[in-house]
Amino acid sequence: MEEKAFQDYYADDVSHCYGCGRLNDEGLHIKSFWDGEGSVARFTPKPCHMAAPGFVYGGVIASLIDCHGTGTAAAAAYRFENRGMDTEPKLRFVTASLKVDYLLPTPLGVELEARGKVKNIGSRKVSVEIDVMAAGKVCARGEVVAVRMPGAMKMSQKE
Amino acid sequence: MEEKAFQDYYADDVSHCYGCGRLNDEGLHIKSFWDGEGSVARFTPKPCHMAAPGFVYGGVIASLIDCHGTGTAAAAAYRFENRGMDTEPKLRFVTASLKVDYLLPTPLGVELEARGKVKNIGSRKVSVEIDVMAAGKVCARGEVVAVRMPGAMKMSQKE
């Protein structure tokens, strides 16, 4: 049986994210997993996702960092509460701030590997550091400060 | 005659950016203009560009800030060199670092307005601060540090 990604545990009403929502047919479907103490998301940009021919667009790298960051934050918050991602209440984080340093032009046409490490954790706020690698080199380094999704963003809590 | 956007002055071989390249058929086609002392880009995300139903995906906001930042950097660098954007040599900037603070959930379905202000400028490095507004409220605030595009990213300079 295939391992479920962090994003596969999101509640249906908050699974439409363009970056990582399983219910967004046109989205990027970024998927994150634990890998030892850290987390990993592997993503291959489409040919159109270029900055210039041969290189990945920075906005797509930012999107990968963003969704891998919020996904890692959710997974880490379950761990912090010492319970599985299949338990209630469901946790969902959004990005309060995002920082990306673009270290090298990122080659297009290969799989990118985003590796996340939790830096700070509370039940409502999690900071995650993320390295994005391509062809064995760290091309970008990011940090996401993720916070619990406000109720106003959840369909289930709309009036 | 319609005013040309900053991105319309980019050389053909560096006009394929997914965010703002006029030669990327599948891209977002973000376009930036001067507006008084600052710069402005207006962009309406597609329905699929959601974080959750009714709200804009943070990665798309980051992309808007990214391309409006590099576009403003290029336009400001021409001004710094006291020459028009239709003169040679052509200038093209890429993002060295990107920071976005998401202040409010950004409503989907309305036009976003990104307003840029040059904070620091040299001939090779420009910092731009950008506010992203929706329905009259600042929903995100970003900063882009842009640097001249490395020759290795230009098709015309590839061996």
Side-chain angles (χ1 to χ4, degrees):
Chain A
M1 208 181 82
E2 216 180 326
E3 188 189 358
K4 277 174 84 170
F6 299 162
Q7 290 85 0
D8 294 329
Y9 291 99
Y10 291 169
D12 284 352
D13 69 329
V14 290
S15 287
H16 298 78
C17 174
Y18 182 74
C20 65
R22 67 180 180 278
L23 302 179
N24 190 321
D25 291 336
E26 295 158 89
L28 305 177
H29 298 130
I30 292 163
K31 290 190 180 292
S32 306
F33 303 89
W34 287 121
D35 186 35
E37 277 311 292
S39 63
V40 67
R42 293 186 178 89
F43 176 75
T44 304
K46 292 185 209 168
C48 65
H49 289 151
M50 67 179 109
F55 300 98
V56 180
Y57 173 49
V60 167
I61 295 169
S63 298
L64 174 58
I65 289 172
D66 184 5
C67 287
H68 186 51
T70 50
T72 299
Y78 282 101
R79 278 196 173 178
F80 184 72
E81 295 184 4
N82 205 22
R83 60 189 180 93
M85 294 192 76
D86 53 352
T87 61
E88 300 287 337
K90 286 190 175 293
L91 301 178
R92 181 78 162 87
F93 282 71
V94 293
T95 303
S97 81
L98 170 71
K99 169 99 169 70
V100 183
D101 289 315
Y102 297 94
L103 308 175
L104 289 174
T106 302
L108 187 64
V110 299
E111 184 180 74
L112 305 183
E113 188 175 281
R115 296 212 154 262
K117 208 157 47 171
V118 175
K119 201 177 149 194
N120 282 300
I121 182 158
S123 62
R124 302 200 70 78
K125 188 173 169 180
V126 183
S127 304
V128 184
E129 286 179 332
I130 293 167
D131 279 355
V132 176
M133 275 161 282
K137 283 186 183 161
V138 178
C139 296
R141 185 160 280 165
E143 185 173 341
V144 170
V145 178
V147 295
R148 291 281 290 275
M149 182 180 271
M153 287 183 76
K154 297 178 188 170
M155 279 202 292
S156 55
Q157 293 183 29
K158 275 179 194 161
E159 283 163 42
Chain B
M1 209 180 80
E2 215 180 324
E3 188 190 357
K4 277 174 85 171
F6 300 163
Q7 290 85 0
D8 294 330
Y9 291 99
Y10 291 169
D12 285 352
D13 70 328
V14 290
S15 287
H16 298 79
C17 174
Y18 183 74
C20 66
R22 68 179 180 279
L23 301 179
N24 190 321
D25 291 338
E26 295 158 87
L28 305 177
H29 298 129
I30 292 162
K31 290 188 180 292
S32 305
F33 304 88
W34 287 120
D35 186 35
E37 278 310 292
S39 63
V40 67
R42 293 186 179 88
F43 176 75
T44 304
K46 292 186 210 167
C48 66
H49 290 152
M50 67 179 108
F55 300 97
V56 181
Y57 173 48
V60 167
I61 295 169
S63 297
L64 175 58
I65 289 172
D66 184 5
C67 287
H68 186 51
T70 50
T72 300
Y78 282 101
R79 278 196 173 178
F80 183 73
E81 296 185 3
N82 204 23
R83 59 188 180 94
M85 293 191 76
D86 53 352
T87 61
E88 299 287 337
K90 287 191 176 290
L91 301 177
R92 181 78 162 85
F93 281 71
V94 293
T95 303
S97 81
L98 171 71
K99 169 99 170 70
V100 184
D101 289 315
Y102 297 95
L103 307 175
L104 290 174
T106 303
L108 187 65
V110 298
E111 184 180 73
L112 306 183
E113 188 174 281
R115 296 213 154 261
K117 207 157 48 171
V118 175
K119 201 177 149 195
N120 283 300
I121 182 158
S123 62
R124 302 200 68 79
K125 188 173 169 180
V126 183
S127 304
V128 184
E129 286 180 333
I130 294 168
D131 279 355
V132 176
M133 275 162 283
K137 283 186 183 159
V138 178
C139 296
R141 184 158 280 164
E143 185 173 342
V144 170
V145 177
V147 294
R148 290 281 290 276
M149 183 181 271
M153 287 183 76
K154 297 177 186 170
M155 279 201 291
S156 54
Q157 293 183 28
K158 275 180 196 162
E159 283 165 41

